[in-house]
Amino acid sequence: MGIIYRVNMSDLTARAEPIEGSAYEALGGRGLTSALVAAEVPPQCHALSAANKLVIAPGLLTGTGAPCAGRLSVGGKSPLTGTIKESNAGGMAALALAVLGIKAVVLEGAPQDRRLHRIAVDRQGVRIEPADELAGLGNYETVARQVGQFGDKAAYVSIGQAGEMRAAAASVAVTDVDSRPTRHCGRGGMGAVMGSKGVKLIVVDPAGGQRIQLADPDAFRRAVRRFADALGRHPLTGQTLPKYGTNILANVINEAGAYPTRNFSQGQFEGTEAISGERQHDTILARGGVIAHGCHRGCTIRCSRIYVDDQGNYVTKGPEYETVWAHGANCGISDLDAIARMDRMDDDFGLDTIETGATLAVAMEAGIIPFGDAQGAIRLLEEVAKGTPLGRLVASGAAVLGKTYGVSRVPTVKGQSLPAYDPRAVQGIGVTYATSTMGADHTAGYAITANVLGVGGRVDPLRPEGQVALSRNLQIATAAVDAAGLCLFVAFCLLDDPAALEAVCEMFSALLGRPFTGDDFVALGKRILTDERRFNAAAGFTAADDRLPDFFKTEKLAPHQITFAVPDEELDTLFNFAE
Amino acid sequence: MGIIYRVNMSDLTARAEPIEGSAYEALGGRGLTSALVAAEVPPQCHALSAANKLVIAPGLLTGTGAPCAGRLSVGGKSPLTGTIKESNAGGMAALALAVLGIKAVVLEGAPQDRRLHRIAVDRQGVRIEPADELAGLGNYETVARQVGQFGDKAAYVSIGQAGEMRAAAASVAVTDVDSRPTRHCGRGGMGAVMGSKGVKLIVVDPAGGQRIQLADPDAFRRAVRRFADALGRHPLTGQTLPKYGTNILANVINEAGAYPTRNFSQGQFEGTEAISGERQHDTILARGGVIAHGCHRGCTIRCSRIYVDDQGNYVTKGPEYETVWAHGANCGISDLDAIARMDRMDDDFGLDTIETGATLAVAMEAGIIPFGDAQGAIRLLEEVAKGTPLGRLVASGAAVLGKTYGVSRVPTVKGQSLPAYDPRAVQGIGVTYATSTMGADHTAGYAITANVLGVGGRVDPLRPEGQVALSRNLQIATAAVDAAGLCLFVAFCLLDDPAALEAVCEMFSALLGRPFTGDDFVALGKRILTDERRFNAAAGFTAADDRLPDFFKTEKLAPHQITFAVPDEELDTLFNFAE
């Protein structure tokens, strides 16, 4: 029970396909996007050509009533990396699709012209409608113009100017509980793929939908309660994240000497205090903003917040840890209001905040503007919406801007920028950056857990020993979490509290009507990684691509005076697991 | 007897190393550059980092008195493609180095600052001198400011603004017999590598030099005479090329339906007549220019020419076939004077004319300017010298500009633009483009010979059969020709006239003092290709990279209505040869 909508943008037709009996049965989220992309997209196609597909799928547990299970996965071949890609976000769209019984919307083909379309999804089906009047609009205005027609119960999945330009750092925006486009499938340029399909937005009206049917509703309810209890008990998901949001990490990672500063040239930033989660918390409360806000209904962690200016007016959601770092320490900027303004611009133009901040830092390394120049950074970002050559470069990511400006210190793997943890001072995350099927990606195997936070055990972050095993296990578990549609933050709890993993397995069992064990959970993760690796190999990726840039191996990072030391031969064993 | 100069740009020191007894003994040209790069450059290093090396080497026969043996090879890891790279040009520098007994100048390391240097090479040795006063100058002005000091007998190897910007399409310029920087090692961004070393120019003063010592001077003289006779007898090298230059091909390739028009969207250009070699010949003669000009002393083919404006003033060398095509048919431009002006700009700024024209066409495909807009194209090129974001994009090549503007029809292989033969209508050259160790490169295995010109046999250009064998044999032979320092145009004669290949082998024998057969010639070519393939594999290249862009397999080319049909599995057999 469930359907896949195939939307053909070459001839503007749509058809529904039952998932039952198909190869995609009992898959969801990243499990479904990666299986479908691996099976149906030619690995060597141009990511912006008609041969690529954009797969939009809620998780397997989305719409069941499971807490924190509202992630929307968006997959395809990435124009940024050339690899397979899955990028997920919270917001309301996954839930809206799930309650309509929609397992995926697959955008296929591409229009011959440059016209834009709106795809309206509701319980009657799918309509493809012209939307040229939305051309050149940011995500905020795009959504605002729809809410009158579709209402605030609908969810909106859209692209801004960057996606229309088919820029490699373009995100897919998803509206939050307040119909604001603040949640983004940011990484890997999925917004450019959506733009290449001529789709400006997808409106999902959940009216008349219903919860996912469960094989054993009572068992499911019991498991949900156990899971919610575990999330509430864990200090990170129960206390720290709700209170301070993700940016609580700024001081923690800075203290660890792993907070990449000025394009990864130092591990500590002198301006950290001014942009920390604690400061953000105090600023938001003092100005009358909101903390402990959930990005979608059914979230019990509620790490989102609402950032307001000194007059109390809405600016943007509370900028996340990665965003604050990317536009802050990494650019030598310690002005929280300037960072919030850039976060808003990123969300509006439809840009991955990590890639964008990293690109601004490389622009600083290139000498286009000096490090620390917040107003200069804002001006560079404004170029994106104008579509100038410089703006297109900023929206194309650090690798392209670095290449265009002849910069040799460009912190990317497979063309995707490194996130907010220096891999020299947290060697486990370096393993994930190097080997992930997605290009440099912290969420793919978040080794900060055992390396820094003491979650799921302890592995010395400064030594190479044990990092590959740590990253391997995390990458496997994460793929399964992403398939479930669970927010990655539940992993803190899964790693520390056996009852939490049991509860998740019980939810799977009660949903599917068959036993689902921890081993099945691991097998699911391995299967997804295997699909993804197969795609990447066929696209031409080899062990030589599973490497950090040279300078992490040659430049010592202060304050630990350390280089990345995990040997290549060990990196090459990461995917040595039996499926 | 011969030395390699190692010039360390990190500490500004130079040392001479005897080639005898080293691993590089009895190597020259591409044989030497590729062996040294494969042995000494980490395949995964950033091409603009201190770990890369720029190897500048005359051919093995350069300076011996052999005709047409004045090519200068420049090798390193390419910032454009990420592969190993050898790019060669005529001009006077190879001869100047050879008579000084210099087998190679190797630029190593990189300065910490952005200062520029001049490297002066003469019979006393090597001097590294500051040259900041040359910053921002084009090649013409750079050389003009040196000639007063070093004279018109010296040869100049320099970079323009593009190389200083470390742009991926930057060339290394070499002066011709008139001390003009008109001969370029164009492909693969070797000018950017030179720029990354902080070297603006190399002056080679051959004063006091002497011909290469020969083991058997009499035998060598006899072989030279036989070789020169063969070159004179062959219709292409004896008549057509001297009279019309390389651009004689325009009408031939257009007639074959293989003249890529408007970014490879058609195979014939309606404006071909106006930009043909015949028209160029008539125009040059009518205006008092020069035809049958040799780009270096010792050339008997003399396909170069001097293009003048309608007042008879020097504009540039006669634009070559590839240049006329790239800025002409490929951009929908049929104005020979506009093309000559762009050729001059390319030479002055230090840009590969093929990559630049291809990039302009992709800029047209992106809608930045319309196809056919000659003045618009000139304005875009002017941006390069100004160093604007758009100019840097133009100087970064078609792949980067295409990515930045979200273009899916980008005709590159391994990031390097396809030259002036559509691989659908000349399938043999498509095999070379796909498989060459250098990225798309016609000179690597010039299958136009048997496919179109009826040289070295005949293979139907429109059918896949026989193309892999044709390209394989040509790639092997070309590597050996490039090692010898011979102009590739001698290959027409080598393929058709057994006496010519015998003469070349006799020259090798008489130079080296040991028998050198046709088999040895083939073995030399195989050895070079094997070195290059090994480097590329370690850099992460696989069979998946040995492919043409998808659209050549899906879009039919008029007038033959044909797609590229050589199967992937056959492409993958290209390097199946015993060394």
mmCIF file of all heavy atoms in Angstrom, chain A residues 44-46 79-80 166 392 396 400 403-408 540 542 544 547 550, chain B residues 44-46 79-80 166 389 392 396 400 403-408 540 542 544 547 550:
data_model
loop_
_atom_site.group_PDB
_atom_site.id
_atom_site.type_symbol
_atom_site.label_atom_id
_atom_site.label_comp_id
_atom_site.label_asym_id
_atom_site.label_seq_id
_atom_site.Cartn_x
_atom_site.Cartn_y
_atom_site.Cartn_z
ATOM 1 N N GLN A 44 26.874 7.556 -15.554
ATOM 2 C CA GLN A 44 27.740 8.520 -16.235
ATOM 3 C C GLN A 44 26.976 9.649 -16.915
ATOM 4 O O GLN A 44 27.544 10.449 -17.643
ATOM 5 C CB GLN A 44 28.617 7.807 -17.260
ATOM 6 C CG GLN A 44 29.584 6.848 -16.579
ATOM 7 C CD GLN A 44 30.513 6.194 -17.563
ATOM 8 O OE1 GLN A 44 30.990 6.827 -18.498
ATOM 9 N NE2 GLN A 44 30.778 4.921 -17.364
ATOM 10 N N CYS A 45 25.684 9.732 -16.689
ATOM 11 C CA CYS A 45 24.927 10.803 -17.332
ATOM 12 C C CYS A 45 25.321 12.157 -16.746
ATOM 13 O O CYS A 45 25.879 12.249 -15.665
ATOM 14 C CB CYS A 45 23.424 10.582 -17.152
ATOM 15 S SG CYS A 45 22.789 10.954 -15.501
ATOM 16 N N HIS A 46 25.042 13.220 -17.487
ATOM 17 C CA HIS A 46 25.206 14.560 -16.933
ATOM 18 C C HIS A 46 24.089 14.774 -15.916
ATOM 19 O O HIS A 46 22.927 14.508 -16.206
ATOM 20 C CB HIS A 46 25.136 15.605 -18.043
ATOM 21 C CG HIS A 46 25.634 16.951 -17.609
ATOM 22 N ND1 HIS A 46 24.955 17.747 -16.728
ATOM 23 C CD2 HIS A 46 26.762 17.630 -17.923
ATOM 24 C CE1 HIS A 46 25.643 18.864 -16.516
ATOM 25 N NE2 HIS A 46 26.744 18.822 -17.238
ATOM 26 N N PRO A 79 25.034 17.126 -9.194
ATOM 27 C CA PRO A 79 25.821 17.974 -10.092
ATOM 28 C C PRO A 79 27.056 18.547 -9.403
ATOM 29 O O PRO A 79 27.977 19.004 -10.062
ATOM 30 C CB PRO A 79 24.856 19.100 -10.475
ATOM 31 C CG PRO A 79 23.820 19.121 -9.409
ATOM 32 C CD PRO A 79 23.762 17.739 -8.812
ATOM 33 N N LEU A 80 27.081 18.504 -8.080
ATOM 34 C CA LEU A 80 28.251 19.016 -7.356
ATOM 35 C C LEU A 80 29.370 17.983 -7.352
ATOM 36 O O LEU A 80 30.522 18.294 -7.617
ATOM 37 C CB LEU A 80 27.876 19.373 -5.917
ATOM 38 C CG LEU A 80 29.001 20.024 -5.101
ATOM 39 C CD1 LEU A 80 29.172 21.488 -5.492
ATOM 40 C CD2 LEU A 80 28.752 19.912 -3.607
ATOM 41 N N ARG A 166 20.467 26.372 -11.857
ATOM 42 C CA ARG A 166 21.088 25.042 -11.890
ATOM 43 C C ARG A 166 22.483 25.061 -11.250
ATOM 44 O O ARG A 166 23.414 24.391 -11.724
ATOM 45 C CB ARG A 166 21.178 24.524 -13.331
ATOM 46 C CG ARG A 166 19.846 24.613 -14.040
ATOM 47 C CD ARG A 166 19.933 24.351 -15.523
ATOM 48 N NE ARG A 166 18.604 24.523 -16.122
ATOM 49 C CZ ARG A 166 18.211 23.944 -17.242
ATOM 50 N NH1 ARG A 166 19.031 23.164 -17.901
ATOM 51 N NH2 ARG A 166 16.997 24.146 -17.718
ATOM 52 N N ARG A 392 27.179 33.413 -9.640
ATOM 53 C CA ARG A 392 27.095 32.018 -10.087
ATOM 54 C C ARG A 392 28.266 31.207 -9.559
ATOM 55 O O ARG A 392 28.120 30.017 -9.232
ATOM 56 C CB ARG A 392 27.053 31.953 -11.620
ATOM 57 C CG ARG A 392 25.704 32.372 -12.168
ATOM 58 C CD ARG A 392 25.684 32.366 -13.685
ATOM 59 N NE ARG A 392 24.415 32.853 -14.190
ATOM 60 C CZ ARG A 392 23.377 32.074 -14.510
ATOM 61 N NH1 ARG A 392 23.468 30.767 -14.374
ATOM 62 N NH2 ARG A 392 22.264 32.596 -14.964
ATOM 63 N N SER A 396 28.195 27.940 -7.070
ATOM 64 C CA SER A 396 28.693 26.700 -7.674
ATOM 65 C C SER A 396 29.582 25.906 -6.737
ATOM 66 O O SER A 396 30.035 24.810 -7.076
ATOM 67 C CB SER A 396 29.463 27.012 -8.962
ATOM 68 O OG SER A 396 28.584 27.549 -9.926
ATOM 69 N N VAL A 400 34.658 24.737 -7.501
ATOM 70 C CA VAL A 400 34.631 25.493 -8.759
ATOM 71 C C VAL A 400 35.208 26.890 -8.548
ATOM 72 O O VAL A 400 36.021 27.364 -9.341
ATOM 73 C CB VAL A 400 33.196 25.559 -9.313
ATOM 74 C CG1 VAL A 400 33.067 26.625 -10.390
ATOM 75 C CG2 VAL A 400 32.800 24.199 -9.868
ATOM 76 N N LYS A 403 38.901 26.557 -8.225
ATOM 77 C CA LYS A 403 39.553 26.270 -9.507
ATOM 78 C C LYS A 403 39.624 27.535 -10.357
ATOM 79 O O LYS A 403 40.632 27.825 -10.984
ATOM 80 C CB LYS A 403 38.780 25.177 -10.241
ATOM 81 C CG LYS A 403 39.431 24.744 -11.539
ATOM 82 C CD LYS A 403 38.975 23.372 -11.996
ATOM 83 C CE LYS A 403 39.750 22.936 -13.233
ATOM 84 N NZ LYS A 403 39.463 21.567 -13.651
ATOM 85 N N THR A 404 38.534 28.299 -10.364
ATOM 86 C CA THR A 404 38.477 29.497 -11.197
ATOM 87 C C THR A 404 39.484 30.542 -10.734
ATOM 88 O O THR A 404 39.993 31.317 -11.533
ATOM 89 C CB THR A 404 37.044 30.067 -11.166
ATOM 90 O OG1 THR A 404 36.136 29.023 -11.525
ATOM 91 C CG2 THR A 404 36.885 31.206 -12.138
ATOM 92 N N TYR A 405 39.745 30.560 -9.444
ATOM 93 C CA TYR A 405 40.687 31.543 -8.901
ATOM 94 C C TYR A 405 42.063 30.954 -8.600
ATOM 95 O O TYR A 405 42.893 31.591 -7.959
ATOM 96 C CB TYR A 405 40.088 32.235 -7.666
ATOM 97 C CG TYR A 405 39.145 33.355 -8.073
ATOM 98 C CD1 TYR A 405 37.841 33.083 -8.454
ATOM 99 C CD2 TYR A 405 39.582 34.671 -8.135
ATOM 100 C CE1 TYR A 405 36.984 34.090 -8.872
ATOM 101 C CE2 TYR A 405 38.732 35.689 -8.548
ATOM 102 C CZ TYR A 405 37.437 35.397 -8.910
ATOM 103 O OH TYR A 405 36.611 36.404 -9.336
ATOM 104 N N GLY A 406 42.305 29.732 -9.050
ATOM 105 C CA GLY A 406 43.648 29.162 -8.895
ATOM 106 C C GLY A 406 44.072 28.944 -7.458
ATOM 107 O O GLY A 406 45.243 29.085 -7.121
ATOM 108 N N VAL A 407 43.111 28.579 -6.596
ATOM 109 C CA VAL A 407 43.419 28.345 -5.186
ATOM 110 C C VAL A 407 43.768 26.869 -4.996
ATOM 111 O O VAL A 407 43.048 25.999 -5.474
ATOM 112 C CB VAL A 407 42.199 28.705 -4.299
ATOM 113 C CG1 VAL A 407 42.497 28.419 -2.830
ATOM 114 C CG2 VAL A 407 41.822 30.164 -4.500
ATOM 115 N N SER A 408 44.867 26.584 -4.294
ATOM 116 C CA SER A 408 45.225 25.178 -4.096
ATOM 117 C C SER A 408 44.742 24.639 -2.746
ATOM 118 O O SER A 408 44.639 23.434 -2.577
ATOM 119 C CB SER A 408 46.730 24.967 -4.244
ATOM 120 O OG SER A 408 47.434 25.781 -3.324
ATOM 121 N N GLY A 540 32.735 6.141 -12.080
ATOM 122 C CA GLY A 540 34.163 6.383 -12.245
ATOM 123 C C GLY A 540 34.922 6.687 -10.972
ATOM 124 O O GLY A 540 36.093 7.044 -11.020
ATOM 125 N N THR A 542 36.946 5.923 -7.583
ATOM 126 C CA THR A 542 37.844 4.866 -7.106
ATOM 127 C C THR A 542 38.385 5.253 -5.735
ATOM 128 O O THR A 542 38.073 6.320 -5.202
ATOM 129 C CB THR A 542 39.051 4.711 -8.048
ATOM 130 O OG1 THR A 542 39.876 5.874 -7.925
ATOM 131 C CG2 THR A 542 38.631 4.537 -9.486
ATOM 132 N N ALA A 544 41.098 6.398 -5.129
ATOM 133 C CA ALA A 544 41.811 7.684 -5.221
ATOM 134 C C ALA A 544 40.899 8.857 -4.890
ATOM 135 O O ALA A 544 41.374 9.935 -4.532
ATOM 136 C CB ALA A 544 42.403 7.854 -6.622
ATOM 137 N N ARG A 547 39.836 10.326 -0.548
ATOM 138 C CA ARG A 547 40.991 10.950 0.097
ATOM 139 C C ARG A 547 40.672 12.392 0.471
ATOM 140 O O ARG A 547 39.954 13.077 -0.264
ATOM 141 C CB ARG A 547 42.178 10.986 -0.880
ATOM 142 C CG ARG A 547 42.662 9.620 -1.344
ATOM 143 C CD ARG A 547 43.385 8.847 -0.256
ATOM 144 N NE ARG A 547 43.844 7.552 -0.754
ATOM 145 C CZ ARG A 547 43.170 6.398 -0.601
ATOM 146 N NH1 ARG A 547 42.021 6.372 0.033
ATOM 147 N NH2 ARG A 547 43.671 5.282 -1.088
ATOM 148 N N ASP A 550 45.344 17.055 -0.031
ATOM 149 C CA ASP A 550 46.720 16.943 0.452
ATOM 150 C C ASP A 550 47.048 17.795 1.668
ATOM 151 O O ASP A 550 47.771 17.355 2.559
ATOM 152 C CB ASP A 550 47.669 17.388 -0.673
ATOM 153 C CG ASP A 550 48.261 16.208 -1.396
ATOM 154 O OD1 ASP A 550 47.905 15.073 -1.054
ATOM 155 O OD2 ASP A 550 49.083 16.427 -2.298
ATOM 156 N N GLN B 44 47.983 12.334 -6.797
ATOM 157 C CA GLN B 44 46.798 12.962 -6.206
ATOM 158 C C GLN B 44 47.052 14.364 -5.672
ATOM 159 O O GLN B 44 46.181 14.943 -5.032
ATOM 160 C CB GLN B 44 46.242 12.075 -5.105
ATOM 161 C CG GLN B 44 45.748 10.746 -5.666
ATOM 162 C CD GLN B 44 45.118 9.886 -4.610
ATOM 163 O OE1 GLN B 44 44.387 10.373 -3.763
ATOM 164 N NE2 GLN B 44 45.389 8.600 -4.668
ATOM 165 N N CYS B 45 48.204 14.916 -5.938
ATOM 166 C CA CYS B 45 48.468 16.271 -5.432
ATOM 167 C C CYS B 45 47.587 17.281 -6.152
ATOM 168 O O CYS B 45 47.065 17.026 -7.234
ATOM 169 C CB CYS B 45 49.941 16.638 -5.614
ATOM 170 S SG CYS B 45 50.427 17.037 -7.305
ATOM 171 N N HIS B 46 47.408 18.446 -5.547
ATOM 172 C CA HIS B 46 46.740 19.540 -6.241
ATOM 173 C C HIS B 46 47.703 20.069 -7.296
ATOM 174 O O HIS B 46 48.874 20.302 -7.017
ATOM 175 C CB HIS B 46 46.373 20.643 -5.249
ATOM 176 C CG HIS B 46 45.393 21.632 -5.810
ATOM 177 N ND1 HIS B 46 45.734 22.531 -6.802
ATOM 178 C CD2 HIS B 46 44.093 21.852 -5.543
ATOM 179 C CE1 HIS B 46 44.665 23.264 -7.097
ATOM 180 N NE2 HIS B 46 43.657 22.867 -6.352
ATOM 181 N N PRO B 79 46.085 21.116 -14.199
ATOM 182 C CA PRO B 79 45.001 21.679 -13.385
ATOM 183 C C PRO B 79 43.661 21.651 -14.111
ATOM 184 O O PRO B 79 42.618 21.780 -13.474
ATOM 185 C CB PRO B 79 45.453 23.120 -13.126
ATOM 186 C CG PRO B 79 46.414 23.434 -14.212
ATOM 187 C CD PRO B 79 47.023 22.140 -14.659
ATOM 188 N N LEU B 80 43.690 21.463 -15.415
ATOM 189 C CA LEU B 80 42.432 21.385 -16.161
ATOM 190 C C LEU B 80 41.806 20.005 -16.029
ATOM 191 O O LEU B 80 40.613 19.867 -15.766
ATOM 192 C CB LEU B 80 42.665 21.711 -17.641
ATOM 193 C CG LEU B 80 41.403 21.758 -18.498
ATOM 194 C CD1 LEU B 80 40.636 23.055 -18.263
ATOM 195 C CD2 LEU B 80 41.719 21.613 -19.987
ATOM 196 N N ARG B 166 46.591 31.630 -12.662
ATOM 197 C CA ARG B 166 46.549 30.168 -12.473
ATOM 198 C C ARG B 166 45.276 29.575 -13.075
ATOM 199 O O ARG B 166 44.660 28.663 -12.517
ATOM 200 C CB ARG B 166 46.636 29.819 -10.985
ATOM 201 C CG ARG B 166 47.808 30.508 -10.304
ATOM 202 C CD ARG B 166 47.788 30.401 -8.813
ATOM 203 N NE ARG B 166 48.937 31.144 -8.264
ATOM 204 C CZ ARG B 166 49.510 30.902 -7.112
ATOM 205 N NH1 ARG B 166 49.036 29.964 -6.337
ATOM 206 N NH2 ARG B 166 50.534 31.600 -6.700
ATOM 207 N N PRO B 389 35.441 38.229 -12.583
ATOM 208 C CA PRO B 389 34.916 36.862 -12.402
ATOM 209 C C PRO B 389 34.560 36.198 -13.736
ATOM 210 O O PRO B 389 34.884 35.023 -13.956
ATOM 211 C CB PRO B 389 33.680 37.082 -11.525
ATOM 212 C CG PRO B 389 34.010 38.309 -10.732
ATOM 213 C CD PRO B 389 34.782 39.200 -11.685
ATOM 214 N N ARG B 392 37.724 35.222 -15.497
ATOM 215 C CA ARG B 392 38.336 34.037 -14.905
ATOM 216 C C ARG B 392 37.582 32.777 -15.316
ATOM 217 O O ARG B 392 38.190 31.710 -15.522
ATOM 218 C CB ARG B 392 38.369 34.158 -13.384
ATOM 219 C CG ARG B 392 39.432 35.125 -12.905
ATOM 220 C CD ARG B 392 39.422 35.291 -11.402
ATOM 221 N NE ARG B 392 40.373 36.298 -10.974
ATOM 222 C CZ ARG B 392 41.627 36.030 -10.602
ATOM 223 N NH1 ARG B 392 42.068 34.796 -10.599
ATOM 224 N NH2 ARG B 392 42.426 37.013 -10.241
ATOM 225 N N SER B 396 38.989 29.549 -17.424
ATOM 226 C CA SER B 396 38.999 28.283 -16.679
ATOM 227 C C SER B 396 38.515 27.103 -17.509
ATOM 228 O O SER B 396 38.523 25.967 -17.039
ATOM 229 C CB SER B 396 38.134 28.404 -15.415
ATOM 230 O OG SER B 396 38.701 29.350 -14.530
ATOM 231 N N VAL B 400 34.277 24.122 -16.499
ATOM 232 C CA VAL B 400 33.974 24.964 -15.346
ATOM 233 C C VAL B 400 32.910 26.001 -15.694
ATOM 234 O O VAL B 400 31.957 26.200 -14.937
ATOM 235 C CB VAL B 400 35.261 25.651 -14.825
ATOM 236 C CG1 VAL B 400 34.930 26.790 -13.881
ATOM 237 C CG2 VAL B 400 36.146 24.629 -14.121
ATOM 238 N N LYS B 403 29.641 24.238 -15.896
ATOM 239 C CA LYS B 403 29.127 23.856 -14.580
ATOM 240 C C LYS B 403 28.546 25.082 -13.875
ATOM 241 O O LYS B 403 27.468 25.012 -13.267
ATOM 242 C CB LYS B 403 30.250 23.241 -13.740
ATOM 243 C CG LYS B 403 29.801 22.753 -12.382
ATOM 244 C CD LYS B 403 30.738 21.710 -11.797
ATOM 245 C CE LYS B 403 30.163 21.128 -10.511
ATOM 246 N NZ LYS B 403 30.972 20.045 -9.951
ATOM 247 N N THR B 404 29.253 26.190 -13.972
ATOM 248 C CA THR B 404 28.815 27.404 -13.276
ATOM 249 C C THR B 404 27.494 27.919 -13.839
ATOM 250 O O THR B 404 26.699 28.516 -13.114
ATOM 251 C CB THR B 404 29.910 28.482 -13.396
ATOM 252 O OG1 THR B 404 31.154 27.924 -12.944
ATOM 253 C CG2 THR B 404 29.579 29.700 -12.567
ATOM 254 N N TYR B 405 27.275 27.693 -15.118
ATOM 255 C CA TYR B 405 26.033 28.166 -15.741
ATOM 256 C C TYR B 405 25.011 27.055 -15.947
ATOM 257 O O TYR B 405 24.014 27.244 -16.633
ATOM 258 C CB TYR B 405 26.351 28.896 -17.055
ATOM 259 C CG TYR B 405 26.764 30.331 -16.800
ATOM 260 C CD1 TYR B 405 28.062 30.639 -16.395
ATOM 261 C CD2 TYR B 405 25.841 31.373 -16.870
ATOM 262 C CE1 TYR B 405 28.442 31.941 -16.108
ATOM 263 C CE2 TYR B 405 26.209 32.683 -16.573
ATOM 264 C CZ TYR B 405 27.505 32.956 -16.200
ATOM 265 O OH TYR B 405 27.872 34.249 -15.900
ATOM 266 N N GLY B 406 25.252 25.888 -15.361
ATOM 267 C CA GLY B 406 24.255 24.822 -15.421
ATOM 268 C C GLY B 406 23.979 24.301 -16.819
ATOM 269 O O GLY B 406 22.857 23.928 -17.143
ATOM 270 N N VAL B 407 25.022 24.248 -17.655
ATOM 271 C CA VAL B 407 24.856 23.763 -19.028
ATOM 272 C C VAL B 407 25.124 22.259 -19.053
ATOM 273 O O VAL B 407 26.112 21.797 -18.494
ATOM 274 C CB VAL B 407 25.856 24.475 -19.975
ATOM 275 C CG1 VAL B 407 25.729 23.942 -21.393
ATOM 276 C CG2 VAL B 407 25.637 25.984 -19.938
ATOM 277 N N SER B 408 24.230 21.499 -19.689
ATOM 278 C CA SER B 408 24.456 20.053 -19.726
ATOM 279 C C SER B 408 25.150 19.592 -21.006
ATOM 280 O O SER B 408 25.714 18.508 -21.033
ATOM 281 C CB SER B 408 23.132 19.299 -19.535
ATOM 282 O OG SER B 408 22.213 19.656 -20.523
ATOM 283 N N GLY B 540 43.243 8.382 -9.991
ATOM 284 C CA GLY B 540 41.834 8.053 -9.818
ATOM 285 C C GLY B 540 41.040 7.895 -11.104
ATOM 286 O O GLY B 540 39.823 7.768 -11.064
ATOM 287 N N THR B 542 39.541 6.034 -14.342
ATOM 288 C CA THR B 542 39.148 4.671 -14.675
ATOM 289 C C THR B 542 38.524 4.652 -16.070
ATOM 290 O O THR B 542 38.420 5.695 -16.729
ATOM 291 C CB THR B 542 38.081 4.142 -13.702
ATOM 292 O OG1 THR B 542 36.855 4.864 -13.931
ATOM 293 C CG2 THR B 542 38.496 4.338 -12.255
ATOM 294 N N ALA B 544 35.587 4.589 -16.741
ATOM 295 C CA ALA B 544 34.435 5.494 -16.773
ATOM 296 C C ALA B 544 34.823 6.888 -17.247
ATOM 297 O O ALA B 544 33.973 7.659 -17.718
ATOM 298 C CB ALA B 544 33.796 5.576 -15.387
ATOM 299 N N ARG B 547 35.320 8.167 -21.747
ATOM 300 C CA ARG B 547 34.031 8.218 -22.425
ATOM 301 C C ARG B 547 33.773 9.619 -22.966
ATOM 302 O O ARG B 547 34.152 10.608 -22.328
ATOM 303 C CB ARG B 547 32.899 7.883 -21.444
ATOM 304 C CG ARG B 547 32.979 6.503 -20.809
ATOM 305 C CD ARG B 547 32.676 5.384 -21.788
ATOM 306 N NE ARG B 547 32.726 4.082 -21.135
ATOM 307 C CZ ARG B 547 33.802 3.272 -21.175
ATOM 308 N NH1 ARG B 547 34.881 3.621 -21.846
ATOM 309 N NH2 ARG B 547 33.773 2.110 -20.558
ATOM 310 N N ASP B 550 27.636 12.113 -22.865
ATOM 311 C CA ASP B 550 26.425 11.418 -23.309
ATOM 312 C C ASP B 550 25.823 11.935 -24.610
ATOM 313 O O ASP B 550 25.338 11.155 -25.428
ATOM 314 C CB ASP B 550 25.347 11.572 -22.233
ATOM 315 C CG ASP B 550 25.245 10.330 -21.376
ATOM 316 O OD1 ASP B 550 26.029 9.394 -21.603
ATOM 317 O OD2 ASP B 550 24.375 10.301 -20.490
#
